[in-house]
Structure formats: C-alpha cells, structure tokens
Amino acid sequence: QSLAKSPETLSAEAAFGALEGWEDVEPIMKTDDLMAPLKVIYESLVTTGFELVADGRVSDIIRRVAIFGLTLVPLDIREESTKHTLALDAITRHLGIGSYKEWDEASRLSWLQSELTSRRPLFRIRDVEQNLFDFDPDVVKTLMVFKVASEQEPESLGAYVISQATSASDVLAVMLLQKQFGMTKATGKLMRVVPLFETLDDLTGSPKQLQTLFGITSYIGSISGKQEVMVGYSDSAKDAGRLAACWAQYTAQEAMAKVADKFGVELTFFHGKGGTVGRGGNPALYRAILSHPPNTINGRFRVTEQGEMIRQNFGSLEIAERSLDIYTAALLRERFTKHVEPKQKWRDQMQRVSEASCANYRYFVREDPRFVPYFRQATPELELGILNIGSRPAKRNPKGGVESLRAIPWTFAWAQTRMHLSAWLGVGAGLNSEVSDLLIRLFMFRN
C-alpha cells in the first residue's frame, strides 16, 4: 500500500521539476536583464491590487539590484604609469618605430592619437600570450591584465586607476591598451581611466594635463562627458609634508574643476585617503567633507576606505549605518552650503606658508645626511617590509631608498614610535614663517 505524499514532498518535487532544463538557460549577466522582469512583477502586483506585497520584498530586491547590480561591487584595477610606458616601449621597438620611453610628450601624444583612431591592431594577442616577441615578463604581465579584463562582464569592472600619473599621455596609453584588447566604447567594455596625481609637482601640473586631454577630440568623445580624477593624499604628504600637500590638493582641485567646467565635463574626484592624519585622514568626517574646495563635490564623492578603517567605520551594522549617514548628510549639506571664498591675500599668504613648510620638510627628509640612518634605526621600517600584511610591496623600487618607500609603511613606521613625524614635520616652520592675524583666522583650519 502506497503512502500518501506529504505537502512538503509535493512542494519539493514541484520545485525540482521547475528547475529541469536549467543547464540550457543562459545565465543573467546584466543588471537590466534582471531588473526588467522584477519591474514587470512589481507593476503586475500594483495593477491587481497587491500594493502592500509590491512595496515589500519586491521593492527591496529592486533597490538592491539598482544599487549593487549583480556583482555587489565592481572591481577597480590599479597600475603604475611606468608599467604602461614600458609595455608601449616594447611594442614600438618591436614595430621598429623607435623607443616610446625616449619620446617627448608631444611625440607620444601624436602617436597615441594616431593609433586610437586607427582600425589596425598593434599586434596579435595570441603572439603575446605565447611571447613570440620575446617581451620582458613584466611587459607580458601588464598586457595580460588587459586581456583578462577584456574577458569580464562590463558591470564587474569599475575604474582603471593610473598610479604616479604625470601627463596626458599616461591616460591615452591606457586607452590605447584597452582598444588593443577590444575594450572600447563601441563594445561597451571601456573602463573609465582615472589618473592618480600623488606628488606635489603632479598635483600642480594636473590642470594642464586635463586641459590637454579635453582638447583631444577622440578622447572627449569616448568619455561621454564624464571624467574621474584621483587625488593622492598619502604620497603627496610624504613628498612635500602635510601642510604643503593640503594646499596643493586644495588648489589643484579648484583648478581642475574650472578646466572641466570650461569643457562641459562632469568631474568626479576620487579621494585616496588613509585613516591617519599623515595620510589625509580626518576623524571629523562631516566637517572634513564640508571643507573641500567650492564646486568640487557637487553631489559626487568617491573616497577610499582601507585597512583598519574598514573595520572601524563599517565593522558592525549599526556603525556602518552611522558612517553612511554621516557621508550622506555631509554631501547633502555641502550641496547647499555657501563656502568661504578665500581672499587673494589669504591665498598669497598660504602659498608662502606652504613653500616654507615644504622647504623645511624636504631639508630634513632629503638633505640631512643623518635622517635616513636615524629613520632606519628608530623605526621598524625594514621589518615592516618583511611582514605579509600589505596589499602591495613596501617599496615601488626594491633597490630604492626612502624616496621609493610607499606612504603606508612610511606612516606606519613612524606610528610605531609614537612620534607620528609624517603628520607634523614642516608644519611648525610654515606657520612660524607667517605669524599674523590672518594665519589665526586661516579659512582652511576653521572650515
């Protein structure tokens, strides 16, 4: 005698039956392909009088898909400009047209623009995969990053950040390498290219580089009226001292915003900050956002959260919600806040303070022969390089000295001694150079 099947058994069989043939169904890879049926479900429920159901879990799912897509978070790629230069140098040498690395900026821009508008590829991808050109392994590795990126769904990738960006050709170089691997606006796979200006000289020259880029017709046509620029807080402070770096970041953002406005480009700044003061961090997050230069946020704000700051600001649901509340409230208020417009005499005085601070900082760090031996004896800098706790090597150049040390181990090393030198060296000299009532009221310290 057969036993009657329970409701649970029947529902399980129905569920498994509904899944039959799933192997032949193409997976959903695009947000729009999932959003379309969800909206149909929502509208159907509303039309048939089930608004409460529609505004419950269905609405929640629609919001999550709209915010997170299918990938939760897109992946950014970050590589140094010198890696792209070496890759293109190997390619131009192979093509027999000279050394890209030795060309001046004008020659680089001319060749890059010509190749970006050309339909001819620079090489066959399989030849590089098999290394038939006998390229250096580092060059092959750089090129293969683009190949792997080209094989991903567009929604899974975000920005291609160029570390140590110094010129407009650094941006066009990445555009050309993307084109070589089929990552173009036409294919929908073009990653937005984000130059990272992270030294005093690079920040100072950044408006000129944007001016050059936006003057190139092929480039301006590929970015759909939007440009993202990353501002380096850690390395600029390590290069020039915190006070001089702060002023350079402020003036550079002002100038870049004006250039973008001139060309009708929507500019978004990506703030590469760390958690400590020496790396651009500020515990007063709300006031820190409001203190940015006028007309540089405009409701758009990207910032890095890394290391221990992820756990501190997003380690629990309650704290994460509070952190996001602060970001949201600050951005909303900044949009409607009348900023303090620095007077020209304030700017002139701040420039002199900045120059004095930078000179003092660089004297000790670069010129005083006692500094490097003291740094290495007083801090665990060498030991930090051995620890397997960083996302990148401690030095950009393994054979380099303190100048090639990355900002993270630089700041971390001083933090271990409780001296925090990277946060204050040069500040006192700069302030003492211009003691006046203006300095006391200096807008950047009050706002």
Side-chain angles (χ1 to χ4, degrees):
Q1 183 178 2
S2 61
L3 298 176
K5 294 183 179 180
S6 66
E8 291 80 3
T9 303
L10 291 172
S11 63
E13 288 181 351
F16 281 113
L19 292 175
E20 289 183 2
W22 64 269
E23 302 95 334
D24 302 324
V25 177
E26 289 294 324
I28 296 176
M29 305 300 291
K30 297 180 180 179
T31 299
D32 289 344
D33 293 342
L34 178 59
M35 186 66 80
L38 286 174
K39 287 184 176 180
V40 171
I41 294 171
Y42 178 87
E43 292 167 2
S44 176
L45 288 170
V46 172
T47 303
T48 53
F50 291 94
E51 292 91 347
L52 290 176
V53 178
D55 291 331
R57 290 190 175 182
V58 178
S59 290
D60 289 343
I61 294 173
I62 289 175
R63 291 191 186 99
R64 290 189 180 105
V65 171
I67 295 171
F68 301 111
L70 299 181
T71 59
L72 186 61
V73 287
L75 179 69
D76 283 0
I77 298 176
R78 179 169 166 176
E79 185 59 275
E80 287 190 24
S81 60
T82 54
K83 298 289 187 180
H84 309 131
T85 299
L86 292 175
L88 289 177
D89 184 71
I91 292 170
T92 56
R93 286 177 180 273
H94 170 73
L95 296 174
I97 58 176
S99 172
Y100 178 85
K101 184 172 63 174
E102 296 176 0
W103 293 347
D104 59 22
E105 179 67 3
S107 299
R108 291 184 181 186
L109 287 174
S110 176
W111 180 75
L112 289 167
Q113 291 179 69
S114 173
E115 291 299 326
L116 281 169
T117 55
S118 172
R119 299 181 63 181
R120 181 195 66 234
L122 295 170
F123 52 80
R124 291 187 301 184
I125 296 174
R126 66 173 179 268
D127 290 344
V128 174
E129 289 181 290
Q130 300 168 10
N131 202 13
L132 299 182
F133 302 147
D134 197 28
F135 285 165
D136 184 89
D138 283 344
V139 169
V140 175
K141 180 179 178 181
T142 299
L143 296 175
M144 287 301 99
V145 169
F146 287 92
K147 180 178 184 299
V148 172
S150 70
E151 296 168 348
Q152 310 308 308
E153 289 296 322
E155 291 184 10
S156 64
L157 297 175
Y160 193 108
V161 180
I162 310 171
S163 298
Q164 300 288 305
T166 62
S167 62
S169 64
D170 290 334
V171 176
L172 293 188
V174 173
M175 295 290 287
L176 179 57
L177 290 172
Q178 287 196 82
K179 172 180 172 288
Q180 171 64 30
F181 289 89
M183 300 170 67
T184 64
K185 184 179 180 180
T187 63
K189 291 192 172 186
L190 180 66
M191 295 179 68
R192 63 185 191 273
V193 182
V194 181
L196 166 53
F197 300 110
E198 49 187 333
T199 67
L200 188 65
D201 289 343
D202 293 341
L203 284 168
T204 303
S206 57
K208 179 181 177 182
Q209 306 312 323
L210 287 193
Q211 178 93 17
T212 301
L213 280 173
F214 296 159
I216 299 173
T217 306
S218 59
Y219 180 78
I220 205 72
S222 67
I223 62 175
S224 302
K226 297 181 179 181
Q227 177 68 53
E228 185 176 324
V229 172
M230 191 169 183
V231 178
Y233 288 72
S234 303
D235 278 279
S236 59
K238 177 178 177 291
D239 175 48
R242 173 152 172 74
L243 197 153
C246 282
W247 183 238
Q249 293 151 14
Y250 190 97
T251 55
Q253 289 178 69
E254 276 187 321
M256 283 191 280
K258 290 178 181 177
V259 171
D261 186 61
K262 173 184 174 182
F263 285 90
V265 175
E266 182 182 282
L267 183 62
T268 299
F269 286 110
F270 183 8
H271 303 277
K273 299 185 179 186
T276 58
V277 173
R279 296 186 57 226
N282 192 325
L285 176 60
Y286 184 84
R287 294 183 63 191
I289 292 175
L290 295 181
S291 70
H292 280 77
N295 305 314
T296 60
I297 293 182
N298 301 319
R300 301 181 300 274
F301 192 79
R302 279 197 86 195
V303 63
T304 52
E305 290 281 8
Q306 51 189 298
E308 73 284 358
M309 300 308 296
I310 297 176
R311 183 171 183 82
Q312 177 176 311
N313 294 337
F314 300 95
S316 69
L317 180 61
E318 294 78 10
I319 293 176
E321 185 175 353
R322 173 63 174 165
S323 297
L324 291 173
D325 280 347
I326 293 174
Y327 273 115
T328 304
L331 287 175
L332 289 173
R333 182 180 173 187
E334 193 278 336
R335 195 76 173 91
F336 302 99
T337 294
K338 181 175 175 57
H339 288 270
V340 175
E341 290 289 346
K343 299 176 182 178
Q344 188 57 47
K345 58 182 179 181
W346 293 1
R347 292 180 178 276
D348 295 341
Q349 190 164 36
M350 190 61 206
Q351 184 62 37
R352 293 193 296 270
V353 169
S354 172
E355 291 172 357
S357 175
C358 181
N360 180 263
Y361 174 89
R362 286 180 170 176
Y363 168 76
F364 285 106
V365 174
R366 298 185 179 184
E367 299 176 23
D368 193 322
R370 300 170 298 173
F371 181 81
V372 172
Y374 170 72
F375 171 61
R376 289 193 164 146
Q377 291 180 35
T379 73
E381 177 255 332
L382 296 176
E383 288 73 16
L384 290 175
I386 301 173
L387 295 177
N388 188 25
I389 61 173
S391 60
R392 300 181 291 275
K395 290 184 176 182
R396 286 191 163 86
N397 178 3
K399 298 180 180 179
V402 173
E403 73 284 350
S404 67
L405 189 67
R406 292 183 184 272
I408 294 175
W410 165 258
T411 301
F412 194 20
W414 289 114
Q416 299 308 298
T417 67
R418 302 300 186 266
M419 184 180 290
H420 300 288
L421 177 139
S422 57
W424 56 261
L425 183 62
V427 175
L431 296 179
N432 287 332
S433 68
E434 291 284 335
V435 178
S436 71
D437 62 326
L438 279 178
L439 193 58
I440 298 173
R441 299 168 49 215
L442 197 60
F443 69 95
M444 68 179 299
F445 292 118
R446 296 191 60 187
N447 299 283

